[in-house]
Amino acid sequence: MDDLIPKLREPKVQGAVRGLVFFSLAVIAVPLAAMFALKHWLFTALLQWDSSDANLYAAIIAVILVHVVLGVWVYLANKEEEVLQSTVFPYQAIPCTFRKEKIDNRPTVTRIPDYDIRKTTTSEQRMQAQAHDDPVYLGFAAPYDSDDLYRLSSCFLPLGKVGGKPSWLNPVAVPKSEQLVCKSCSKPLCFLLQVYATADTDSAHSFHRTLFLFVCRDPACSKANDATNLAAFRCCLPRVNEWYGQDGPLDADFVMYSNHSQENEMPPPPKGAPSLCRICGCFASKKCAKCGDAWYCSREHQAFDWKLGHRSSCGQTEEKKEGEERKNPENMWLFEEKERTTENMWLFEAKKLDEGAAAQMTEDDLEVEEKKDVCFDRFNRVMQLQSEQILRYQRGGRPLIPSDRAPEINQVPPCSLCGAPRQFELQLTPHLLSLIGVDSITESIDWAAVYVYTCSANCAVPESGYASEAVVKHDFVE
């Protein structure tokens, strides 16, 4: 019964039902009673009219009364809504989910409010109801079926994904191999995450805009409060470009239907696109000397692929057997991909949550004792509001600091292209670690928070390529 009518126990819903029943009975009873009384006592007994005239005029008055009752009902309903809206609250937080749409032929998302906080009783609701006007967009992971992973290819302009190989926004001017190495061990970085992040105020050169994050696979490079094992890139494209039409990217469903074969449906690489590493999907400058078909970004990945099976398949044509499922991940170097509805790529489903007050709570709000780690308590409380969030997005906003012991962020270098100061744009949460399978209690990749700072001017990148942006990492330390 609770599934069929889940909100019937709420006082507001019960009051609305009582009002509906009352006015429904009033619409029936008042006109009929008035018609009977007027006919017998006024028109027949007092005015001495004949039966037909009495019936006619009594019916006319009854119809008028029906409309009067309905008018009173509408008036009272509007009055109640005005009273609710006039109730003084600092702010009303409306957590929302989003659905994918296109606005101005650009992939975007549309708000679908989940609920409206009218009265705040719990501490979480109070934190949300006192939020500021600049919302924080939350990224969530949704599983994707392995047979549908082709939908996250570059040509379909995905809104975001985690794991697998990067879907380059500009498939030609991709970062060079030397840009995608760990600053600690000089080994190739592994693709972690990308997110399509545009704004209405962006310039014409930034009609399309995607951020890419990479991380070193070696746990030894994950040092406390040190982001040298991470790298971030920003890519911007104008609306008119060589790879995506002005009416939007290719429709994956149309391509699938037109070609009937997932292996043959993918369009060929664009003209001028470089070879990509068959292990990580990044720029490749080396190829197998024996077969000349396999390309790699580094000797490490060439040796990795040789042990992985290229030793036996080198020079042979690789054909996918009928009915064979695509491996996920494609190899052990990549993070596992998961999708919507089954067990397999992580897409972003954004939710919009106003939680400024949660980031500005005082010690009194948190009821903390003296000498307690206030930021750590605040961080946990905010994370608990949406425990499965993996990304927090607020361009030009403020990061959510995980601990009072975290070093201050006051030395973010300016943009290397235009010299403009960088601003906070997004933050990764610890929940992402469990989704990519690196949350081991032993030595492992780790972070409390990863912050990406991007050019505040959102400057144009030469050849619409990839600009390196600043990354800051905080860890939980004793």
Side-chain angles (χ1 to χ4, degrees), residues 150-151 156 249-260 265:
Y150 73 93
R151 296 174 180 271
F156 301 128
L250 295 174
D251 189 317
D253 291 323
F254 177 77
V255 173
M256 177 77 169
Y257 178 80
S258 301
N259 293 277
H260 301 288
E265 74 188 7

Side-chain angles (χ1 to χ4, degrees), residues 59-76:
I60 292 174
I61 295 176
V63 172
I64 294 174
L65 286 175
V66 169
H67 289 81
V68 170
V69 172
L70 291 175
V72 171
W73 187 4
V74 173
Y75 171 79
L76 292 178

Side-chain angles (χ1 to χ4, degrees), residues 43-69:
F43 298 128
T44 302
L46 184 61
L47 299 180
Q48 301 294 319
W49 288 2
D50 58 44
S51 179
S52 61
D53 290 339
N55 287 334
L56 175 62
Y57 286 98
I60 292 174
I61 295 176
V63 172
I64 294 174
L65 286 175
V66 169
H67 289 81
V68 170
V69 172

Side-chain angles (χ1 to χ4, degrees), residues 319-333:
E319 296 182 357
K320 182 178 178 180
K321 299 178 182 179
E322 185 176 354
E324 182 183 359
E325 293 186 2
R326 174 178 172 178
K327 292 182 179 180
N328 183 27
E330 292 185 31
N331 57 71
M332 297 308 296
W333 172 262

